[in-house]
Amino acid sequence: MKKYGLLAGALCLPVLFACSESSQTASAAKDVDQKSELEATKASSEIAATDEAKIASGVDYHSFANPDEIRVTHLSLNLAANFETKQLVGDVTLDIERIQPDSNTLVLDTRALTIQNVTVNGQPVDFSMGEKDEDLGTPLSITLPEGADKVTVAYTTSPSASGVQWLTPAQTAGKQHPFLFTQAQAVHARSFIPLQDSPQVRVTYDATINTPKDLLAVMSAANDPTTERDGEYEFTMPQPIPSYLIALAIGDLQFKAMGERTGVYAEPALLDSAAKEFEDTEAMLEVTEQTYGPYQWDRYDLLILPPSFPFGGMENPRLSFITPTVIAGDKSLVSLIAHELAHSWSGNTVTNATWRDLWLNEGFTTYLTYRIMEMIYGHDRFKKEAVLGYQDLENDVAALDENDEILAIDLRGRNPDDVFSNIPYEKGALFLREIEHKIGRENFDAFLMQYFKDFAFKSITTDTFIAYLNKTLLAQYPDKLDAERINTWIFQSGIPEGAPHPESDAFVKIDATRDAWLSGETKAVDIDTTQWTVHEWLYFLNNMPASLSTEQLAELDAAFSLTTTKNNEIAHSWLMIAVENTYEPAYERLYSYLVTIGRNKLVKPLYRELSKTPEGKAFAKRAFEEAKPGYHPLTVRANEGFVN
Ligand SMILES: [Zn+2]
């Protein structure tokens, strides 16, 4: 934002609604030197208009690459994983297409890579590294000989590559073998492959990966569950995907089938419990196909990662990466699987063109997640999950800057990882639910099925989506939908007035139970929780008043053993209350929770809350320092500000 002072205010697209900023500036200029002020205003709004047109047309501010001149279409990776030095070593051959026939400079994104050489047909060619940017890395410019259509870059990754995490045996479930996994979203693919690291450049790929002989490599590609474990593994990805979906993991992995097209890879210690927990995956795949069109990616498998994985899941195509923190034993947290599966339609098949457009990916996926959960587990569970999601959104709207509450967020000059909040997810989903309510579910489902078909294997901008809406739903239902309301959802902060407000009868009862306990009418031990699922627990705890006495907390803890709960989400809600009220009996669990779990959604709110008092901050710092070697770089970056 700072880099682009001209547009410091809310992003305002003249195509879509009147831009009032420049006219206000003009009237304020009257008393000064009117003429020159007006000229300056005109010049600056012209630059602003050009900038806005660039954003609307999908210019990616988070990549140095030049796909409009020369575009990479395929990658051949040849890498060896060295667990001693924590490096990937090898080369990549890029197939290129000249969009501008006379272009001869290929620009790639890199981050902390050591480039050994660049060759075309075995002959070295000139290359140079540009200026390093803290968030975006370093551009690599390669001068291509005339007619060259393949270029090979030999390179080594840094042991601290932002997209690669190397775990020691002690950090795994089995404690015997090391583990590696990559996490490329948003702009971390460039830390392990020199490439055009923009979601609007789609590539197919093949790969040969060498590992220690007793380990198995898997990728976001066709995986063969019966492959011989010999330390050399081959992969092909025939569908063109954006770079942030290229993924690799290496570990002591085994496979178990869950259905005809679905299975799970995990360390042996987790394999059976994961396969049981996620056994409904095949059914989820089937209902999603029936509602939104065919699954385009052949198999759908899950990879269970060690607990340091920074996210709940990552929708790497054909092989979603999943945190083990959702294996609760009762399928209560499997909406995460529905979410990652839904990405096979929104995100992986229809992709956001830039990180500003992430809501097209996450908002649609969150909407689909609710629908899949409803189809598999029924309407009551859907209503409960919708209320909890809405409360998460309300919390973010209360905490975030106004500009960060906009679906089409302005991310210029910022780290694209800043886009991740409940806004693209829950606000995006709520927007789609409003359209569904207005035109009817059947009609909206038909629209989505056609949308996924029309934009299959394309990367699109918010503006492309709006133009598509104009041509389709706005033309079909002029009495039910209007452009102004749609602009409010996409370009204004907060939750629009009159938005759908999810409610759940089951939660009305929980409110009454909580009130009765708070007023002293009911004792905690007398509350009947036998029918409660994780949803009731989260709603019960998340809506407690900000301040509770130590006696009250001790009463809850004695009645429900909250400090020792095995459910990581319930533990999170309880530990938040413990920190807010400095309930010390829970601090030992809090410490081990922070040290063993690296999922950012679960640890970040705890660090933020702890950092509010000097004692809390000192405690947080101790836990953070111990946890840091096992945390993913993204979790480190997201939380180090709270402890320093
Ligand atoms: Zn997602």
Side-chain angles (χ1 to χ4, degrees), residues 339 362-363 366-367 369-370 385-394 396 407 421-433 489 495 502:
H339 181 98
E362 295 299 352
T366 304
Y367 172 82
T369 305
Y370 285 120
E385 293 188 344
V387 171
L388 291 168
Y390 188 82
Q391 292 196 331
D392 287 343
L393 174 60
E394 283 184 315
D396 267 11
L407 285 179
S421 75
N422 281 301
I423 300 301
Y425 291 74
E426 294 292 342
K427 183 177 171 180
L430 203 61
F431 168 41
L432 299 184
R433 198 176 302 143
W489 270 104
I495 305 170

Side-chain angles (χ1 to χ4, degrees), residues 587 590-591 594-595 606-629 631 639-644:
Y587 273 45
L590 173 63
Y591 192 87
L594 291 171
V595 169
L606 291 166
Y607 277 120
R608 187 196 288 127
E609 197 57 39
L610 280 165
S611 73
K612 289 178 181 170
T613 66
E615 304 76 40
K617 197 167 184 165
F619 179 93
K621 195 176 170 65
R622 278 201 306 280
F624 185 81
E625 289 306 326
E626 188 175 334
K628 201 173 159 184
Y631 277 165
N639 293 290
E640 61 194 353
F642 297 125
V643 299
N644 289 317

Side-chain angles (χ1 to χ4, degrees), residues 185 313 315 339-340 343 361-362 365-366 425:
Q185 197 183 30
E315 64 269 25
H339 181 98
E340 303 313 330
H343 271 303
N361 175 341
E362 295 299 352
T365 295
T366 304
Y425 291 74

Side-chain angles (χ1 to χ4, degrees), residues 326-360:
V326 295
I327 303 175
D330 60 1
K331 302 184 184 175
S332 57
L333 303 175
V334 299
S335 67
L336 180 84
I337 306 300
H339 181 98
E340 303 313 330
L341 172 69
H343 271 303
S344 305
W345 283 260
S346 50
N348 299 4
T349 302
V350 183
T351 307
N352 48 289
T354 73
W355 297 109
R356 165 189 182 249
D357 310 303
L358 182 73
W359 75 275
L360 289 176

